[in-house]
Amino acid sequence: MSVLENLSAAVQKGRAKEVETLVREALESGLTAQSILDGGLLKGMGLIGERFKNNEVFVPAVLIAARALSKGTELLKSRLLEEGVKPIGSVVLGTVKGDLHDIGKNLVKMMLEGAGFRVIDLGVDVPSERFVEAVREHRPDVLALSALLTTTMGQQEAVIKALTAAGLRDKVKVMVGGAPITQSFCEQIGADAYTSDAASAAETAKTFLTA
Ligand code: B1M
């Protein structure tokens, strides 16, 4: 197997130390940071994302793979900057006000980063005003809102209303998700997209870049 194939396999197995070793090896062999990222790290993460989507692996495996992936990207960061690699787009992400659940949000973040987005993660319990400020400041392509409670899902609508009031609604695509969210709720509150899982969220975010 090539070093990139080994790297992809190590990410899928969540072997962080092996990922570090293989990234160093790949750099020493003269491969560019971009090719190591695309052909090794992101390839592995993409494959684990697919398997997660198909219920072949579960949350812990994805989180372990994500940790291994971030070990690799840490090592590549400075080289990527030198090579002038730009993210494909940017996303502001957070769990809405009153809601402390972040496992799903973190998976969405990881899949977005795996797809090449720069993600500005506002964390959990984020009030509408904070989302609005972040959209004004970062001008992201996508605003991604997570909510896990039936008592907090209404906050997604509050964020959309706050964006509209601030004159920013047409400047950003709004994606919503989380266990109680549905397609009809998405349409009802005027969001641009709903996806049921993290891998689909990243795929859908990409479609907004060319739209
Ligand atoms: Co909470 N909790 N919890 N909880 N918790 C649920 C959600 C609940 C269904 C449990 C239950 O009663 N059966 C229930 C909600 C009921 C309801 O609203 N109908 C519940 C409750 C009631 C509560 C408290 C109110 C409990 C209490 O204190 N009485 C409390 C609320 C705290 C608060 O937020 N203010 C609470 C607290 C907690 C913990 C802190 C203990 C912990 C959270 C830890 C953390 O996140 N760091 C917790 C947990 C772990 C859960 C369960 C067990 C698991 C949630 C989870 O992480 N799932 C959950 C029960 C369950 O789901 N079985 C439950 C795994 C995760 C990968 O899935 O987040 O759905 P999920 O993300 C999915 C998709 O939804 C999607 O992608 C992911 C998969 O790929 N997705 C998006 C998520 N965001 C997306 C955004 C997108 C697209 C897709 O685009 C933007």
Side-chain angles (χ1 to χ4, degrees), residues 52 59 98-104 107-108 144-146 148-150 175-179 195-198 201:
F52 178 58
V59 175
D99 200 324
L100 303 174
H101 296 84
D102 69 355
I103 298 171
L107 285 173
V108 172
L145 307 172
S146 183
L148 260 286
L149 299 169
T150 45
M175 289 178 56
V176 290
T195 58
S196 62
D197 63 85

Side-chain angles (χ1 to χ4, degrees), residues 45 48-49 52 62 106-116 198-199 202:
M45 199 64 229
I48 202 92
F52 178 58
V62 182
N106 292 342
L107 285 173
V108 172
K109 176 181 183 182
M110 198 190 64
M111 291 298 173
L112 286 166
E113 289 182 338

Side-chain angles (χ1 to χ4, degrees), residues 42-64:
L42 297 187
K43 193 163 182 197
M45 199 64 229
L47 290 170
I48 202 92
E50 275 302 307
R51 294 174 63 203
F52 178 58
K53 203 171 146 187
N54 298 331
N55 292 319
E56 292 163 18
V57 295
F58 301 100
V59 175
V62 182
L63 294 175
I64 293 165

Side-chain angles (χ1 to χ4, degrees), residues 159-195:
V159 174
I160 291 173
K161 284 189 172 154
L163 279 175
T164 306
L168 292 168
R169 180 63 189 95
D170 59 345
K171 304 277 185 264
V172 68
K173 296 289 183 190
V174 179
M175 289 178 56
V176 290
I181 311 304
T182 59
Q183 179 60 35
S184 71
F185 180 73
C186 163
E187 287 164 20
Q188 182 194 316
I189 65 172
D192 296 298
Y194 157 74
T195 58

